[in-house]
Amino acid sequence: MNSMVQLDSATAIAAAAAVAGNPVKIVAQGVNVYYGEKHALRDVDLDIQERAVTALIGPSGCGKSTFLRCLNRMNDTIPACRVTGRIAMDDQDIYDPQLDVVQLRARVGMVFQKPNPFPKSIFENVAYGPRIHGLARNKAELEEIVAISLKRAGLFDEVKDRLGDSGTSLSGGQQQRLCIARAIAVSPEVILMDEPCSALDPIATAKIEELIDELRENFTIVIVTHSMQQAARVSQRTAFFHLGVLVEIGITSDIFTTPKDRRTQDYITGRFG
Ligand SMILES: Nc1ncnc2c1ncn2[C@@H]1O[C@H](COP(=O)(O)OP(=O)(O)OP(=O)(O)O)[C@@H](O)[C@H]1O
């Protein structure tokens, strides 16, 4: 088979082995999503492993972003959208009516396709979440959270002397790392990334990919990507969606070298997409 993806298979296999024993963080069972009459996701069963990167791939419109948005209930904000089935994080049903959605979204952070810093200072972009969630007892603690979050997002050295400047004054890649720092600042357990590099140049993309690899030590990451190369570089597990169906999920190197399903094979060899 002639996959379009160049795999550094030794690295990919070592990375998959390193996370192989990690427990499951999120379990989705029989998930269906409708936008009005449109049945966008059908009977999806999918496990997300803790402290690993899971990539969601598939052709445009297959339901990747829809599934991602189920994981922090962002679909609740779309009036016509209806979700059925069960999604549990650490065995807790995240669609339980008793559950506080604001708390859920602090536990399951999100980074979007287009960097979207608030029109506020770099400091305030990161401090906002910890402040509203009461995570700092005083100014010194808040400053510490901001500094740590910027360091973990690989941005601190570039901005430490200009924390008062507007977040929007940064380059696109820096803005995306600022958005990652903002997500990290409220100590989430899971970070969802919806095509986080699609608006970035190759150098900024490489930095974000390196960062994702570092972040998986502490966070569970789910990333939607149009780039099979990116999925191969950053993820340990890959899920392939097609026409609203989860076709298969497996170890990334297996999906790109020995997929079980013909549809996956056709996709990774570029027969459609
Ligand atoms: N807000 C919405 N209202 C109505 N239909 C929607 C909405 N969002 C998505 N859809 C439909 O649901 C299906 C899945 O869309 P989704 O955006 O999840 O796919 P995707 O795989 O992420 O696509 P892409 O790679 O192009 O971003 C598509 O047919 C899309 O048109």
Side-chain angles (χ1 to χ4, degrees):
M1 189 189 33
N2 189 11
S3 169
M4 291 171 75
V5 177
Q6 293 290 318
L7 265 185
D8 177 351
S9 31
T11 311
I13 291 165
V19 303
N22 291 8
V24 170
K25 180 76 179 168
I26 299 177
V27 178
Q29 289 169 311
V31 173
N32 284 274
V33 180
Y34 306 82
Y35 296 102
E37 297 292 301
K38 163 100 194 161
H39 195 169
L41 274 186
R42 295 169 186 270
D43 285 325
V44 174
D45 293 331
L46 197 162
D47 289 352
I48 305 284
Q49 207 179 2
E50 191 169 276
R51 282 178 287 111
V53 181
T54 301
L56 311 182
I57 64 166
S60 191
C62 67
K64 308 176 292 289
S65 300
T66 296
F67 182 75
L68 193 76
R69 288 196 301 265
C70 289
L71 302 179
N72 68 348
R73 292 184 51 178
M74 282 294 281
N75 286 324
D76 291 14
T77 62
I78 302 172
C81 187
R82 187 162 62 86
V83 179
T84 65
R86 185 169 193 273
I87 301 181
M89 180 160 71
D90 296 334
D91 289 330
Q92 183 189 24
D93 181 357
I94 65 166
Y95 282 81
D96 182 336
Q98 308 289 321
L99 186 111
D100 178 343
V101 181
V102 175
Q103 287 300 330
L104 173 71
R105 295 197 188 127
R107 291 175 69 194
V108 185
M110 192 151 187
V111 175
F112 297 87
Q113 192 167 353
K114 198 165 166 287
N116 59 349
F118 306 135
K120 287 179 180 288
S121 69
I122 294 167
F123 182 90
E124 279 304 318
N125 264 276
V126 186
Y128 179 78
R131 195 182 284 123
I132 60 163
H133 286 284
L135 300 184
R137 277 171 302 188
N138 51 46
K139 191 161 167 275
E141 276 189 12
L142 190 61
E143 285 172 358
E144 196 184 340
I145 292 174
V146 170
I148 289 171
S149 305
L150 288 168
K151 280 180 191 155
R152 288 173 106 177
L155 187 60
F156 185 72
D157 288 341
E158 289 160 63
V159 300
K160 62 177 188 280
D161 301 323
R162 46 188 286 213
L163 292 176
D165 288 4
S166 171
T168 54
S169 69
L170 299 171
S171 73
Q174 288 173 326
Q175 287 188 22
Q176 198 60 306
R177 280 180 280 141
L178 179 63
C179 294
I180 292 172
R182 182 174 69 186
I184 291 173
V186 291
S187 298
E189 296 152 50
V190 180
I191 304 176
L192 309 177
M193 298 185 169
D194 197 350
E195 295 183 46
C197 302
S198 64
L200 306 182
D201 64 41
I203 292 171
T205 296
K207 278 196 181 150
I208 301 273
E209 289 184 0
E210 262 173 49
L211 177 59
I212 292 171
D213 199 46
E214 285 165 27
L215 292 175
R216 80 174 151 87
E217 285 192 18
N218 295 300
F219 303 98
T220 301
I221 297 175
V222 188
I223 178 170
V224 167
T225 176
H226 265 123
S227 158
M228 289 188 262
Q229 283 76 10
Q230 180 165 75
R233 285 193 295 266
V234 303
S235 74
Q236 290 74 54
R237 295 182 84 220
T238 294
F240 171 64
F241 286 79
H242 184 230
L243 298 174
V245 172
L246 171 64
V247 174
E248 68 178 287
I249 176 161
I251 293 170
T252 295
S253 50
D254 291 346
I255 294 287
F256 287 115
T257 54
T258 51
K260 295 195 180 74
D261 194 284
R262 180 68 200 228
R263 290 165 290 180
T264 317
Q265 186 171 332
D266 286 350
Y267 183 68
I268 64 162
T269 53
R271 286 202 187 92
F272 66 86

